[in-house]
């Protein structure tokens, strides 16, 4: 668990000679940090507002604008309340799972009609004729409230409630976390549980899983199991429940290093299929021609696990490294490794630069198929061509600039470049740019 | 939109390798090593109390990153619990 500035107030201040020298140096350089001003700053941090604006843009795919506001109020005696408000606007095109034909200009031969409840979908021609993409627009508003309160001198609890809503998706839930400080607060044990209830509500209802979405009328032969003369039924909303638990240990290693190890386990139950995703049935006797389109189907249960290790260390007064590793595995057959590394360099007393790199790799889900062979006698029990269930790698690189503004403000801006490539799906690499500006103010 | 001649995959791989070597060097120094165990009294935590030394020092950026990768990868979580879901296409 994180240390907070306020905890220091519980202890007598005995800075080392080195710290005193650093503080003296900073005082000279900044001309503002003095014991008196530090005291004033402590007294002024009763409330805090954080603002963020973010622009995320994928090449030829999705763009997102996000505004995020956090208000935190210190109620005293280490009791805090926080409110997060998030608003997203999303536009663009998302891969729907259909194969990309060899002749991409044709966009496939099937006159495809209505895949989903996306805003734009009647006689969908996809994005610029690319029928493996579905255009959509959406808006998302979310609120998250939390309340942190000590129970004893070494034990505290955090309660949280959240709600989010999109045109076709709602989510609400709660979480409870207990934090236990041990060993003069050099060791912290954290345990928490959360539950979410989520509902997906496409305008046209949820489709029958693995039902036929459309047939290629021009195909000379269709699979024997395919009946194109019936209309696939649609159902009501899809509901799922998500339960998560985490237990973790945070350990102070020395005066400059803190490390954390978490184990998380989660279970998702209910409608886990994506009603907007499709899967092509291809005839290999026709050079892989798409002869049918089916709705995908996923299992109605998923158990997830992760081990997460993070360390933050100050290499020198100007340099702080922050690195983490996560190993993730689930019962859908996905295994993933993620490494994240940040290096903060304070080139001036109140300014810093922070390069960032991240690498993620995952294996594919057991039921992932790029397409289904029309020659099969029966359909698989589950099938999805969602590129996110494919074996993939994600590479990220970024740079952040941050600056303190006076005694109680801070400003930062960053840019990230993300590239994702796939193993089985023939989508081009996903390339995305992220720009984010943040502003913090304590009062 | 994005016309980069830099091979980001190579760049990330070499950067991670360099970072690993740097951290390995730092963690094996005889004095001041990153993982050198030492007794830390409450009054020694001045550095650890700095905002930049917190495990989640920039929650707005972390929140944005978690959502981006949640919507583009199958693996997620690990840092803790809480927060709402999203349709995320």
């Amino acid at each position: 668990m994180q240390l907070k500035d306020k905890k220091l107030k519980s202890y007598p201040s005995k800075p080392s000679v080195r710290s005193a020298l650093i503080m003296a140096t900073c005082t000279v350089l900044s001309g503002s940090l003095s014991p008196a001003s530090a005291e004033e700053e402590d007294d002024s941090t009763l409330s805090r507002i954080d603002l963020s604006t973010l622009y995320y843009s994928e090449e030829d795919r999705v763009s997102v604008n996000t505004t995020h506001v956090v208000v935190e109020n210190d109620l005293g005696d280490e009791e805090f309340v926080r409110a997060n408000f998030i608003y997203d606007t999303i536009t663009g095109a998302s891969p729907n799972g259909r194969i990309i034909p060899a002749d991409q200009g044709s966009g496939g031969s099937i006159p495809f009609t209505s895949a989903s409840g996306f805003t734009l979908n009647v006689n969908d021609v996809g994005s610029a004729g690319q029928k493996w993409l579905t255009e959509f627009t959406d808006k998302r508003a979310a609120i998250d409230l939390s309340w942190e309160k000590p129970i004893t001198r070494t034990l505290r609890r955090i309660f949280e409630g959240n709600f989010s809503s999109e045109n076709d998706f709602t989510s609400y839930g709660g979480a409870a976390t207990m934090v236990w400080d041990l060993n003069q607060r050099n060791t912290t044990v954290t345990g928490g549980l959360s539950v979410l209830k989520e509902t997906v509500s496409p305008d046209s209802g949820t489709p029958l899983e693995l039902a036929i979405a459309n047939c290629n009328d021009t195909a000379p032969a269709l699979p024997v199991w395919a009946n194109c003369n019936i209309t696939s039924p649609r159902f009501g909303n899809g509901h799922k429940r998500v339960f998560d638990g985490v237990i973790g240990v945070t350990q102070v290693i020395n005066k400059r290093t803190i490390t954390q190890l978490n184990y998380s386990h989660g279970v998702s139950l209910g409608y886990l299929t994506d009603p907007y995703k499709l899967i092509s049935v291809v005839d290999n006797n026709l050079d892989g021609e798409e002869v049918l389109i089916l709705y995908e189907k996923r299992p109605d249960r998923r158990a997830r696990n992760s081990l997460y290790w993070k360390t933050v260390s100050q290499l020198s007064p100007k340099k702080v490294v922050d690195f983490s590793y996560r190993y993730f595995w689930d019962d859908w057959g996905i295994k993933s490794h993620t490494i994240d590394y940040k290096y903060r360099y304070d080139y001036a007393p109140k300014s810093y630069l922070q390069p960032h790199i991240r690498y993620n790799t995952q294996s594919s889900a057991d039921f992932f198929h790029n397409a289904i062979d029309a020659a099969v006698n029966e359909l698989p029990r589950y099938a999805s061509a969602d590129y996110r269930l494919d074996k993939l790698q994600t590479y990220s690189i970024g740079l952040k600039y941050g600056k303190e503004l006076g005694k109680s403000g801070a400003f930062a801006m960053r840019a990230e470049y993300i590239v994702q490539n796939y193993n089985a799906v023939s989508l081009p690499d996903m390339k995305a740019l992220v720009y984010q500006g943040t502003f913090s103010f304590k009062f | 939109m994005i016309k980069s001649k830099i091979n980001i995959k190579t760049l990330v791989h070499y950067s991670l390798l360099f970072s690993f070597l740097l951290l390995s060097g730092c963690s094996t120094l005889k004095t001041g090593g990153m993982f050198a165990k030492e007794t830390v009294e409450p009054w020694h935590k001045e550095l650890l109390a700095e905002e930049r030394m917190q495990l989640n020092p920039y929650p707005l950026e972390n929140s944005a990153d978690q959502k981006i990768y949640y919507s583009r990868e199958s693996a997620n979580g690990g840092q803790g619990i809480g927060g709402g879901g999203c349709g995320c296409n």
Side-chain angles (χ1 to χ4, degrees), chain A residues 170-189:
Chain A
T170 55
S171 166
Y172 62 89
T177 304
M178 298 292 287
V179 183
W180 186 23
D181 293 320
L182 305 163
N183 184 25
Q184 291 190 315
R185 291 188 169 178
N186 287 331
T187 305
T188 301
V189 177

Side-chain angles (χ1 to χ4, degrees), chain A residues 119-134:
Chain A
T119 303
L120 174 64
N121 263 314
V122 178
N123 293 321
D124 187 10
V125 294
S127 177
Q130 297 172 311
K131 295 190 175 184
W132 55 94
L133 298 176
T134 301

Side-chain angles (χ1 to χ4, degrees), chain A residues 87-263:
Chain A
Y87 185 73
D88 299 324
T89 56
I90 310 153
T91 59
S94 180
N96 53 33
R98 292 177 66 183
I99 60 163
I100 301 178
D103 176 11
Q104 295 190 16
S106 72
S109 58
I110 294 184
F112 183 63
T113 55
S114 187
S116 68
F118 284 144
T119 303
L120 174 64
N121 263 314
V122 178
N123 293 321
D124 187 10
V125 294
S127 177
Q130 297 172 311
K131 295 190 175 184
W132 55 94
L133 298 176
T134 301
E135 291 186 355
F136 72 105
T137 61
D138 209 343
K139 295 179 173 62
R140 175 176 180 264
I143 183 170
D144 184 308
L145 304 172
S146 67
W147 177 30
E148 178 176 344
K149 183 178 174 61
I151 298 172
T152 67
R153 197 177 68 82
T154 59
L155 191 67
R156 61 187 184 278
R157 54 114 177 104
I158 304 164
F159 290 150
E160 178 191 325
N162 54 68
F163 174 77
S164 74
S165 177
E166 301 169 41
N167 290 341
D168 57 355
F169 186 86
T170 55
S171 166
Y172 62 89
T177 304
M178 298 292 287
V179 183
W180 186 23
D181 293 320
L182 305 163
N183 184 25
Q184 291 190 315
R185 291 188 169 178
N186 287 331
T187 305
T188 301
V189 177
T190 305
L193 294 169
S194 72
V195 60
L196 277 178
K197 189 172 191 315
E198 299 182 341
T199 301
V200 59
S201 49
D203 290 344
S204 51
T206 52
L208 176 66
E209 296 162 305
L210 290 181
I212 295 173
N214 213 325
C215 296
N216 185 347
D217 297 335
T218 64
L222 293 172
V224 293
W225 44 263
N227 183 352
C228 292
N229 296 319
I230 59 170
T231 302
S232 300
R234 313 279 301 191
F235 302 101
N237 298 337
H239 301 281
K240 67 177 172 182
R241 289 163 292 157
V242 182
F243 303 93
D244 282 287
V246 63
I247 185 160
V249 178
T250 303
Q251 179 65 46
V252 171
I253 303 294
N254 52 45
K255 297 170 192 172
R256 302 165 305 284
T257 304
I258 186 166
T259 194
Q260 178 188 48
L261 182 66
N262 288 346
Y263 168 71

Side-chain angles (χ1 to χ4, degrees), chain A residues 303-363:
Chain A
R304 298 164 278 108
N305 301 276
S306 70
L307 276 173
Y308 176 81
W309 174 52
K310 179 166 190 168
T311 295
V312 181
S313 184
Q314 188 175 121
L315 302 179
S316 74
K318 290 183 177 180
K319 302 170 186 172
V320 173
V321 293
D322 175 330
F323 62 93
S324 65
Y325 166 76
R326 181 188 65 194
Y327 177 59
F328 173 97
W329 71 102
D330 68 13
D331 61 359
W332 284 5
I334 294 170
K335 293 181 174 60
S336 166
H337 302 273
T338 307
I339 302 170
D340 190 287
Y341 181 87
K342 298 184 181 81
Y343 180 91
R344 171 170 161 160
Y345 178 64
D346 290 59
Y347 66 90
K350 293 194 171 190
S351 302
Y352 65 91
L353 289 170
Q354 182 174 271
H356 170 225
I357 50 176
R358 179 184 184 274
Y359 172 69
N360 167 269
T361 181
Q362 73 172 49
S363 60

Side-chain angles (χ1 to χ4, degrees), chain B:
Chain B
M1 179 187 71
I2 302 164
K3 300 292 181 189
S4 173
K5 292 184 178 179
I6 300 173
N7 186 332
I8 186 175
K9 300 165 194 172
T10 306
L11 193 59
V12 168
H13 281 144
Y14 279 107
S15 299
L16 285 172
L17 179 62
F18 175 76
S19 307
F20 176 75
L21 293 174
L22 176 72
L23 293 176
S24 300
C26 292
S27 61
T28 55
L29 292 174
K30 288 184 179 177
T31 57
M34 182 184 297
F35 293 105
K37 183 73 177 161
E38 63 185 20
T39 302
V40 181
E41 301 292 348
W43 51 88
H44 291 151
K45 294 182 179 175
E46 182 179 351
L47 298 178
L48 294 171
E50 292 177 5
E51 188 172 41
R52 61 181 179 163
M53 291 297 295
Q54 304 308 299
L55 290 166
N56 184 12
Y58 318 111
L60 290 178
E61 292 162 21
N62 189 50
S63 166
D65 282 347
Q66 290 221 52
K67 188 174 157 200
I68 288 169
Y69 295 117
Y70 171 83
S71 64
R72 291 292 172 262
E73 298 168 351
S74 283
N76 56 70
Q79 296 186 29
I81 56 169
C86 69
C88 291
N89 268 292

